[in-house]
Amino acid sequence: MSMLLRCDETPQWPRLRAHFGAEGGGLDLRQAFASDAQRFAHFSQAAPHVFADLSKNLWDRQAEALLLDMARSCGLAQRRDAMFAGQPINCTEGRAVLHTLLRRPAGLALPGDQPFVAAALEQVHATLDAMLAYADAVRADDAITDVVNIGIGGSDLGPHMAARALDAYQVPGKRFHFVSNIDGHELHGVLQGLRPERTLFLVASKTFTTIETMTNARSALAWFTAQGGRDVACHFTALTTNVQAAAALGITTTFGFWDWVGGRYSLWSAIGLPLAIAIGSAGFRALLAGAHAMDEHFRTAPFAANLPVRLGLLDLWYRNFHGFTSRCLAPYHAGLAHLPAYLQQLEMESNGKRVDLAGRELPMATSPVLWGEPGSNGQHAFFQMLHQGSDVLPLEIVAVRQCAHALPGHHEMLLANALAQTQALMVGRASADGHRHFPGNRPSTFLLLEALTPASLGALIALQEHRVFVSGSLWGINSFDQWGVELGKVLACDLQQRLASGDLSGLDASTAGLLSRLRG
């Protein structure tokens, strides 16, 4: 596709600068609500499975209108449509970006589909059907009590987060473990509580060369054999496209995926097998359906009523005009404890870039730092800084209206706390005693799910994926490569050999000194 305009190259950019300088930068939320009785109605909306309140954010209707016009000038709709159609928008790797195909219903054609898409969709559903049949068989096998997923990055964060979120749907009688760290303490701690004849290991690596994953997999195999385990083929399954490498380890059951599936977008693929075992094929299909519903919302809704677009524009407004460097995510649901870590990879690996699609250094900041913790815990840890710190840190709350337990009073207290935090951040409290003064006028976003179900979780994740796509597209960057993780891997291989040999030649003084100390 042809090069599109970067946000700072549009005619709206200087108008946004002028508006921010004249009014937008000094917006007072309390006055904004007092002068606009329809502010909540305008800045809130329902999307599939998600209701969003954006009204407590530091923008007004004029800023949003200018941002929407800027998105149109940038060609956001064309880039979005190119992604859905399978055009190779991952230009540095020459790949399509088709994670949305993984949740597209069988046989559904979209306008502009590239010629290979129909055949790819058939392959997606053939693999999905086979994977889910296998998942249901394991789910029904009482002899398997423990499932261990060995992966890292996107091969761990997605299924780990989702399995925790949907534990109310998990099959009874099975435990699910996730090993990602090369630190042997993690794998050792998991293996201590297992019996080989009752354990299924899932080795998740597209290429079957990821050093952390393969080291852990080989150690798990060695443990399995040393503990008297028999029939590796029945107790190890690979989620990979490298069937030969898996077979070399004795693994014959494999489920693959395609090069147009990026790691941080791979939950919907065979990488989701541990989740499929946990919640069953019907639950996994509901997860896909929820994500597809959000895909269709993003693909078809007008920008002014398009929740991923509005969130992406707000992210750009905060990063490039207000200068906010981070965003805090506070899920008010214990099941979403791993959501901040999952979204850290999604946003910071996707948009943590300093050059545009043409390789030009960017004149503006890109990805904010995303961080967080379950809300009620965070209130007793870092919310002090949100309310009274010297930096303004936008807060994003994810809450769930219905709970999945019968303990009286807990959920009402949890929801009251979620509401209270956003209210307190906005209204503040005046006091002559500076220690007790709350300045207020601090921004927050409130995302509400009716219940935490496979469908609503799928929609929530897809919402975040598309939001990141929006801001990345406006910045003119490639959100789908991750070259920044490569250099450290290369150097680690060299240093591992040096730790064994003691060779310090050519190293900087700091690395040489530390290596000598580590060797003892």
Side-chain angles (χ1 to χ4, degrees), residues 48-50 165-166 169 268 283 286-291 294 336 398-400 448-463:
H49 301 284
V50 181
L166 299 175
Y169 295 82
W268 324 100
L287 178 89
L288 298 179
M294 188 61 73
L336 296 174
V398 180
V400 180
L448 179 64
L449 311 181
E450 180 67 17
L452 186 54
T453 65
S456 68
L457 181 65
L460 177 65
I461 298 169
L463 169 66

Side-chain angles (χ1 to χ4, degrees), residues 151-159 204 262-267 271 342 345 349:
I152 198 167
S155 297
D156 168 79
L157 289 166
R264 54 196 174 277
Y265 303 92
S266 63
L267 169 64
I271 292 298
Y342 177 77
Q345 185 199 26
E349 191 168 272

Side-chain angles (χ1 to χ4, degrees), residues 290-362:
H292 176 68
M294 188 61 73
D295 292 342
E296 286 298 284
H297 170 74
F298 177 50
R299 191 178 68 84
T300 63
F303 280 4
N306 192 311
L307 185 55
V309 170
R310 297 177 86 185
L311 284 171
L313 291 173
L314 179 63
D315 293 341
L316 181 145
W317 176 245
Y318 277 168
R319 192 74 178 99
N320 297 139
F321 293 88
H322 284 274
F324 299 152
T325 58
S326 78
R327 181 171 77 253
C328 176
L329 177 68
Y332 275 77
H333 193 296
L336 296 174
H338 296 309
L339 184 63
Y342 177 77
L343 295 183
Q344 277 179 346
Q345 185 199 26
L346 173 65
E347 184 148 3
M348 295 168 69
E349 191 168 272
S350 295
N351 287 348
K353 312 290 172 59
R354 54 181 292 277
V355 299
D356 68 10
L357 292 166
R360 300 177 296 175
E361 188 164 346
L362 289 166

